[in-house]
Amino acid sequence: QAFFCLLLCVPWGSSCPPSCQCTERAGAKAVLCSSQHLEEIPKDIPKDAVFLKLDANSITRIPSNAFRHLSHLEELDLSRNAIEKIDRAAFKGVAAGLRTLDLSSNRIRSIPKEALLALNAKLRLANNPWHCECALQEVLWEARLDPDSVQGITCHTAPRQEYVGKPLLQVLDAGVNFCSVRQRTMDVAMFITMFGWFTMVIVYVICYVRHNREDTCKHVDYLKSLPSTQGQAE
């Protein structure tokens, strides 16, 4: 925060979004759009921005390729917004260069793991109404989370009521595996599907055999009803 305050002292000479302040210090260019009542990400952010602060706004969604043109971006602050939806390709184009991504204090319940696992950035995900599930568990295991914010990732909703209100890390440390629960659910669904198909095959075979039996009986009765050859000879 102190660094951003220092950046405010040196204005840019280049274009800047109307609701933002653009500054430069020691070659590092920052776009500061905090607390500007923004409902979406500005379209005209300078391409050579290194720091971008969009915190304390009313942004509800991060669409695909939202920052793709910002190839120099290293720090992105989206905290204290109203973000509910993050597209799979939201950070496409900046994933390799980002060092810090702050998504804390939003309204995020779930997030496509593809959107975060491709990032090398340190993530802050605390204070969101998370639904504890397999995708969030994989993010916790594989993404680079800020250690100071991990305990703030709590289960707002969960498959079992006993997990609600607890930090996700604490639930996982207790031996819970949301991914295995999903796998068991998939296995049960597959078993039910296979059982359904097997039942249909059995029913078809039974009907087929019964139908052939009836046709055979009718044919036999028909043959019995014909005059015998011996009777015709007499």
Short mmCIF file of all heavy atoms in Angstrom, two decimals, residues 129-170:
data_model
loop_
_atom_site.label_atom_id
_atom_site.label_comp_id
_atom_site.label_asym_id
_atom_site.label_seq_id
_atom_site.Cartn_x
_atom_site.Cartn_y
_atom_site.Cartn_z
N PRO A 129 -17.96 -16.34 0.22
CA PRO A 129 -18.92 -17.37 0.67
C PRO A 129 -18.74 -18.68 -0.08
O PRO A 129 -19.60 -19.11 -0.84
CB PRO A 129 -20.28 -16.72 0.34
CG PRO A 129 -20.00 -15.85 -0.84
CD PRO A 129 -18.61 -15.32 -0.63
N TRP A 130 -17.62 -19.32 0.13
CA TRP A 130 -17.23 -20.50 -0.65
C TRP A 130 -18.16 -21.69 -0.41
O TRP A 130 -18.60 -21.94 0.70
CB TRP A 130 -15.81 -20.92 -0.30
CG TRP A 130 -14.76 -19.98 -0.77
CD1 TRP A 130 -14.01 -19.14 0.01
CD2 TRP A 130 -14.33 -19.77 -2.11
NE1 TRP A 130 -13.15 -18.42 -0.77
CE2 TRP A 130 -13.32 -18.78 -2.08
CE3 TRP A 130 -14.69 -20.31 -3.35
CZ2 TRP A 130 -12.67 -18.33 -3.22
CZ3 TRP A 130 -14.05 -19.86 -4.48
CH2 TRP A 130 -13.05 -18.89 -4.42
N HIS A 131 -18.42 -22.41 -1.50
CA HIS A 131 -19.06 -23.73 -1.39
C HIS A 131 -17.94 -24.75 -1.45
O HIS A 131 -17.25 -24.88 -2.47
CB HIS A 131 -20.05 -23.96 -2.53
CG HIS A 131 -20.61 -25.35 -2.55
ND1 HIS A 131 -21.39 -25.85 -1.52
CD2 HIS A 131 -20.49 -26.37 -3.45
CE1 HIS A 131 -21.73 -27.09 -1.79
NE2 HIS A 131 -21.19 -27.43 -2.95
N CYS A 132 -17.73 -25.45 -0.36
CA CYS A 132 -16.61 -26.40 -0.29
C CYS A 132 -16.90 -27.61 -1.14
O CYS A 132 -17.85 -28.36 -0.87
CB CYS A 132 -16.35 -26.79 1.17
SG CYS A 132 -15.62 -25.44 2.13
N GLU A 133 -16.08 -27.81 -2.15
CA GLU A 133 -16.26 -28.89 -3.11
C GLU A 133 -14.89 -29.29 -3.65
O GLU A 133 -13.86 -28.74 -3.26
CB GLU A 133 -17.16 -28.43 -4.25
CG GLU A 133 -16.63 -27.21 -4.97
CD GLU A 133 -17.52 -26.74 -6.09
OE1 GLU A 133 -18.45 -27.50 -6.45
OE2 GLU A 133 -17.28 -25.65 -6.63
N CYS A 134 -14.90 -30.24 -4.58
CA CYS A 134 -13.65 -30.79 -5.11
C CYS A 134 -12.81 -29.73 -5.81
O CYS A 134 -11.60 -29.66 -5.62
CB CYS A 134 -13.97 -31.93 -6.07
SG CYS A 134 -12.49 -32.74 -6.77
N ALA A 135 -13.44 -28.87 -6.63
CA ALA A 135 -12.69 -27.86 -7.38
C ALA A 135 -11.95 -26.91 -6.43
O ALA A 135 -10.78 -26.56 -6.66
CB ALA A 135 -13.63 -27.07 -8.29
N LEU A 136 -12.60 -26.49 -5.35
CA LEU A 136 -11.95 -25.61 -4.39
C LEU A 136 -10.84 -26.34 -3.65
O LEU A 136 -9.78 -25.76 -3.36
CB LEU A 136 -12.99 -25.08 -3.39
CG LEU A 136 -12.48 -24.09 -2.35
CD1 LEU A 136 -11.87 -22.86 -3.02
CD2 LEU A 136 -13.59 -23.68 -1.40
N GLN A 137 -11.04 -27.60 -3.36
CA GLN A 137 -10.01 -28.40 -2.72
C GLN A 137 -8.77 -28.50 -3.61
O GLN A 137 -7.64 -28.37 -3.13
CB GLN A 137 -10.55 -29.80 -2.42
CG GLN A 137 -9.52 -30.76 -1.85
CD GLN A 137 -10.12 -32.12 -1.55
OE1 GLN A 137 -11.18 -32.21 -0.94
NE2 GLN A 137 -9.46 -33.17 -1.98
N GLU A 138 -8.97 -28.70 -4.90
CA GLU A 138 -7.83 -28.80 -5.82
C GLU A 138 -7.09 -27.48 -5.92
O GLU A 138 -5.86 -27.46 -6.04
CB GLU A 138 -8.34 -29.25 -7.19
CG GLU A 138 -8.82 -30.69 -7.21
CD GLU A 138 -9.37 -31.10 -8.56
OE1 GLU A 138 -9.74 -30.20 -9.36
OE2 GLU A 138 -9.45 -32.31 -8.82
N VAL A 139 -7.83 -26.36 -5.87
CA VAL A 139 -7.18 -25.06 -5.87
C VAL A 139 -6.31 -24.91 -4.62
O VAL A 139 -5.17 -24.44 -4.69
CB VAL A 139 -8.23 -23.93 -5.94
CG1 VAL A 139 -7.59 -22.58 -5.64
CG2 VAL A 139 -8.88 -23.90 -7.31
N LEU A 140 -6.84 -25.31 -3.49
CA LEU A 140 -6.10 -25.19 -2.23
C LEU A 140 -4.82 -26.04 -2.25
O LEU A 140 -3.79 -25.64 -1.71
CB LEU A 140 -6.98 -25.61 -1.06
CG LEU A 140 -6.44 -25.31 0.34
CD1 LEU A 140 -6.35 -23.81 0.57
CD2 LEU A 140 -7.30 -25.95 1.41
N TRP A 141 -4.90 -27.19 -2.88
CA TRP A 141 -3.75 -28.09 -2.92
C TRP A 141 -2.71 -27.67 -3.95
O TRP A 141 -1.51 -27.82 -3.72
CB TRP A 141 -4.22 -29.52 -3.24
CG TRP A 141 -4.79 -30.23 -2.05
CD1 TRP A 141 -4.75 -29.83 -0.76
CD2 TRP A 141 -5.50 -31.46 -2.07
NE1 TRP A 141 -5.39 -30.73 0.05
CE2 TRP A 141 -5.87 -31.75 -0.72
CE3 TRP A 141 -5.89 -32.34 -3.06
CZ2 TRP A 141 -6.57 -32.89 -0.36
CZ3 TRP A 141 -6.60 -33.48 -2.70
CH2 TRP A 141 -6.93 -33.76 -1.37
N GLU A 142 -3.14 -27.15 -5.08
CA GLU A 142 -2.23 -26.96 -6.21
C GLU A 142 -1.86 -25.51 -6.49
O GLU A 142 -0.81 -25.25 -7.07
CB GLU A 142 -2.85 -27.58 -7.48
CG GLU A 142 -3.12 -29.08 -7.35
CD GLU A 142 -3.69 -29.68 -8.62
OE1 GLU A 142 -3.30 -29.22 -9.70
OE2 GLU A 142 -4.53 -30.59 -8.52
N ALA A 143 -2.70 -24.55 -6.13
CA ALA A 143 -2.40 -23.15 -6.42
C ALA A 143 -1.44 -22.58 -5.38
O ALA A 143 -1.25 -23.14 -4.30
CB ALA A 143 -3.69 -22.34 -6.46
N ARG A 144 -0.86 -21.42 -5.70
CA ARG A 144 0.05 -20.73 -4.77
C ARG A 144 -0.76 -19.74 -3.94
O ARG A 144 -0.96 -18.60 -4.34
CB ARG A 144 1.15 -20.01 -5.54
CG ARG A 144 2.12 -20.92 -6.27
CD ARG A 144 3.23 -20.11 -6.91
NE ARG A 144 3.98 -19.35 -5.92
CZ ARG A 144 4.24 -18.06 -6.01
NH1 ARG A 144 3.78 -17.36 -7.02
NH2 ARG A 144 4.94 -17.45 -5.07
N LEU A 145 -1.23 -20.19 -2.80
CA LEU A 145 -2.04 -19.34 -1.94
C LEU A 145 -1.17 -18.54 -0.98
O LEU A 145 -0.14 -19.03 -0.51
CB LEU A 145 -3.04 -20.19 -1.15
CG LEU A 145 -4.08 -20.95 -1.97
CD1 LEU A 145 -4.94 -21.80 -1.06
CD2 LEU A 145 -4.93 -20.00 -2.79
N ASP A 146 -1.63 -17.32 -0.70
CA ASP A 146 -0.95 -16.51 0.31
C ASP A 146 -1.14 -17.18 1.66
O ASP A 146 -2.27 -17.35 2.13
CB ASP A 146 -1.57 -15.11 0.31
CG ASP A 146 -0.85 -14.16 1.25
OD1 ASP A 146 -0.09 -14.64 2.12
OD2 ASP A 146 -1.06 -12.94 1.14
N PRO A 147 -0.07 -17.58 2.33
CA PRO A 147 -0.20 -18.30 3.61
C PRO A 147 -1.00 -17.53 4.66
O PRO A 147 -1.69 -18.14 5.49
CB PRO A 147 1.26 -18.49 4.06
CG PRO A 147 2.07 -18.39 2.80
CD PRO A 147 1.34 -17.42 1.93
N ASP A 148 -0.91 -16.20 4.63
CA ASP A 148 -1.60 -15.40 5.63
C ASP A 148 -3.11 -15.37 5.43
O ASP A 148 -3.85 -14.98 6.33
CB ASP A 148 -1.08 -13.96 5.61
CG ASP A 148 0.39 -13.88 6.01
OD1 ASP A 148 0.83 -14.77 6.77
OD2 ASP A 148 1.08 -12.96 5.56
N SER A 149 -3.59 -15.78 4.25
CA SER A 149 -5.03 -15.69 3.96
C SER A 149 -5.71 -17.06 3.86
O SER A 149 -6.92 -17.12 3.68
CB SER A 149 -5.25 -14.93 2.64
OG SER A 149 -4.76 -15.66 1.54
N VAL A 150 -4.94 -18.13 4.01
CA VAL A 150 -5.51 -19.47 3.84
C VAL A 150 -6.60 -19.74 4.87
O VAL A 150 -7.66 -20.31 4.56
CB VAL A 150 -4.40 -20.54 3.94
CG1 VAL A 150 -5.01 -21.93 3.97
CG2 VAL A 150 -3.46 -20.43 2.75
N GLN A 151 -6.38 -19.35 6.11
CA GLN A 151 -7.36 -19.60 7.16
C GLN A 151 -8.68 -18.85 6.93
O GLN A 151 -9.71 -19.18 7.51
CB GLN A 151 -6.80 -19.22 8.53
CG GLN A 151 -5.72 -20.18 9.04
CD GLN A 151 -6.26 -21.59 9.27
OE1 GLN A 151 -7.42 -21.78 9.63
NE2 GLN A 151 -5.42 -22.59 9.04
N GLY A 152 -8.64 -17.83 6.07
CA GLY A 152 -9.84 -17.08 5.76
C GLY A 152 -10.72 -17.72 4.70
O GLY A 152 -11.80 -17.20 4.40
N ILE A 153 -10.28 -18.86 4.15
CA ILE A 153 -11.09 -19.59 3.17
C ILE A 153 -11.98 -20.56 3.95
O ILE A 153 -11.57 -21.66 4.31
CB ILE A 153 -10.20 -20.36 2.18
CG1 ILE A 153 -9.23 -19.40 1.48
CG2 ILE A 153 -11.05 -21.09 1.14
CD1 ILE A 153 -8.24 -20.10 0.55
N THR A 154 -13.19 -20.15 4.25
CA THR A 154 -14.09 -20.95 5.06
C THR A 154 -15.26 -21.48 4.24
O THR A 154 -15.61 -20.94 3.19
CB THR A 154 -14.64 -20.12 6.24
OG1 THR A 154 -15.33 -18.97 5.72
CG2 THR A 154 -13.51 -19.64 7.13
N CYS A 155 -15.88 -22.53 4.75
CA CYS A 155 -17.00 -23.17 4.06
C CYS A 155 -18.30 -22.45 4.41
O CYS A 155 -18.80 -22.57 5.54
CB CYS A 155 -17.11 -24.65 4.46
SG CYS A 155 -15.67 -25.64 4.01
N HIS A 156 -18.82 -21.69 3.48
CA HIS A 156 -20.12 -21.05 3.68
C HIS A 156 -21.24 -22.07 3.50
O HIS A 156 -22.25 -22.05 4.21
CB HIS A 156 -20.29 -19.89 2.71
CG HIS A 156 -21.56 -19.11 2.89
ND1 HIS A 156 -21.77 -18.26 3.95
CD2 HIS A 156 -22.70 -19.08 2.16
CE1 HIS A 156 -22.97 -17.73 3.86
NE2 HIS A 156 -23.56 -18.21 2.78
N THR A 157 -21.06 -22.95 2.51
CA THR A 157 -21.94 -24.11 2.31
C THR A 157 -21.06 -25.32 2.04
O THR A 157 -19.91 -25.18 1.62
CB THR A 157 -22.91 -23.90 1.13
OG1 THR A 157 -22.15 -23.61 -0.07
CG2 THR A 157 -23.87 -22.75 1.40
N ALA A 158 -21.61 -26.50 2.28
CA ALA A 158 -20.84 -27.73 2.12
C ALA A 158 -21.79 -28.91 2.01
O ALA A 158 -22.98 -28.80 2.37
CB ALA A 158 -19.88 -27.93 3.29
N PRO A 159 -21.32 -30.06 1.51
CA PRO A 159 -22.19 -31.24 1.40
C PRO A 159 -22.74 -31.70 2.74
O PRO A 159 -23.82 -32.28 2.80
CB PRO A 159 -21.25 -32.31 0.80
CG PRO A 159 -20.19 -31.54 0.10
CD PRO A 159 -20.00 -30.30 0.90
N ARG A 160 -22.01 -31.42 3.82
CA ARG A 160 -22.48 -31.79 5.17
C ARG A 160 -22.46 -30.56 6.06
O ARG A 160 -21.52 -29.77 6.05
CB ARG A 160 -21.59 -32.90 5.74
CG ARG A 160 -21.62 -34.19 4.92
CD ARG A 160 -20.73 -35.26 5.50
NE ARG A 160 -21.12 -35.65 6.84
CZ ARG A 160 -20.55 -36.66 7.51
NH1 ARG A 160 -19.57 -37.36 6.94
NH2 ARG A 160 -20.96 -36.97 8.72
N GLN A 161 -23.49 -30.42 6.87
CA GLN A 161 -23.68 -29.25 7.71
C GLN A 161 -22.53 -29.06 8.69
O GLN A 161 -22.21 -27.93 9.08
CB GLN A 161 -25.02 -29.36 8.46
CG GLN A 161 -25.40 -28.11 9.25
CD GLN A 161 -25.62 -26.89 8.39
OE1 GLN A 161 -26.03 -27.02 7.24
NE2 GLN A 161 -25.34 -25.71 8.93
N GLU A 162 -21.90 -30.12 9.11
CA GLU A 162 -20.84 -30.03 10.12
C GLU A 162 -19.60 -29.28 9.62
O GLU A 162 -18.78 -28.83 10.42
CB GLU A 162 -20.43 -31.43 10.59
CG GLU A 162 -19.88 -32.30 9.47
CD GLU A 162 -19.67 -33.74 9.91
OE1 GLU A 162 -18.63 -34.00 10.54
OE2 GLU A 162 -20.55 -34.57 9.64
N TYR A 163 -19.47 -29.14 8.27
CA TYR A 163 -18.32 -28.42 7.72
C TYR A 163 -18.57 -26.92 7.61
O TYR A 163 -17.62 -26.15 7.44
CB TYR A 163 -17.97 -28.96 6.33
CG TYR A 163 -17.76 -30.45 6.27
CD1 TYR A 163 -18.15 -31.18 5.14
CD2 TYR A 163 -17.19 -31.15 7.33
CE1 TYR A 163 -17.97 -32.55 5.08
CE2 TYR A 163 -17.01 -32.51 7.28
CZ TYR A 163 -17.40 -33.22 6.15
OH TYR A 163 -17.23 -34.57 6.08
N VAL A 164 -19.83 -26.50 7.67
CA VAL A 164 -20.18 -25.10 7.46
C VAL A 164 -19.59 -24.22 8.55
O VAL A 164 -19.67 -24.54 9.74
CB VAL A 164 -21.72 -24.93 7.42
CG1 VAL A 164 -22.10 -23.44 7.34
CG2 VAL A 164 -22.31 -25.68 6.23
N GLY A 165 -18.98 -23.12 8.13
CA GLY A 165 -18.38 -22.18 9.08
C GLY A 165 -16.95 -22.51 9.45
O GLY A 165 -16.32 -21.70 10.15
N LYS A 166 -16.43 -23.63 9.01
CA LYS A 166 -15.07 -24.02 9.35
C LYS A 166 -14.10 -23.67 8.21
O LYS A 166 -14.47 -23.70 7.03
CB LYS A 166 -15.00 -25.52 9.62
CG LYS A 166 -15.77 -25.96 10.86
CD LYS A 166 -15.60 -27.45 11.09
CE LYS A 166 -16.34 -27.90 12.34
NZ LYS A 166 -16.19 -29.36 12.58
N PRO A 167 -12.86 -23.35 8.53
CA PRO A 167 -11.86 -23.13 7.48
C PRO A 167 -11.68 -24.40 6.65
O PRO A 167 -11.64 -25.51 7.21
CB PRO A 167 -10.59 -22.79 8.27
CG PRO A 167 -11.08 -22.30 9.59
CD PRO A 167 -12.32 -23.08 9.88
N LEU A 168 -11.60 -24.24 5.35
CA LEU A 168 -11.47 -25.40 4.47
C LEU A 168 -10.23 -26.22 4.82
O LEU A 168 -10.27 -27.46 4.81
CB LEU A 168 -11.40 -24.95 3.01
CG LEU A 168 -11.20 -26.05 1.97
CD1 LEU A 168 -12.30 -27.10 2.04
CD2 LEU A 168 -11.10 -25.45 0.57
N LEU A 169 -9.15 -25.55 5.16
CA LEU A 169 -7.92 -26.26 5.51
C LEU A 169 -8.13 -27.15 6.73
O LEU A 169 -7.63 -28.28 6.78
CB LEU A 169 -6.80 -25.25 5.78
CG LEU A 169 -5.40 -25.85 5.97
CD1 LEU A 169 -4.95 -26.59 4.72
CD2 LEU A 169 -4.40 -24.75 6.32
N GLN A 170 -8.89 -26.67 7.70
CA GLN A 170 -9.18 -27.46 8.91
C GLN A 170 -10.01 -28.70 8.55
O GLN A 170 -9.76 -29.80 9.07
CB GLN A 170 -9.93 -26.61 9.92
CG GLN A 170 -10.35 -27.34 11.18
CD GLN A 170 -11.15 -26.46 12.13
OE1 GLN A 170 -11.01 -25.24 12.12
NE2 GLN A 170 -11.99 -27.07 12.95
#
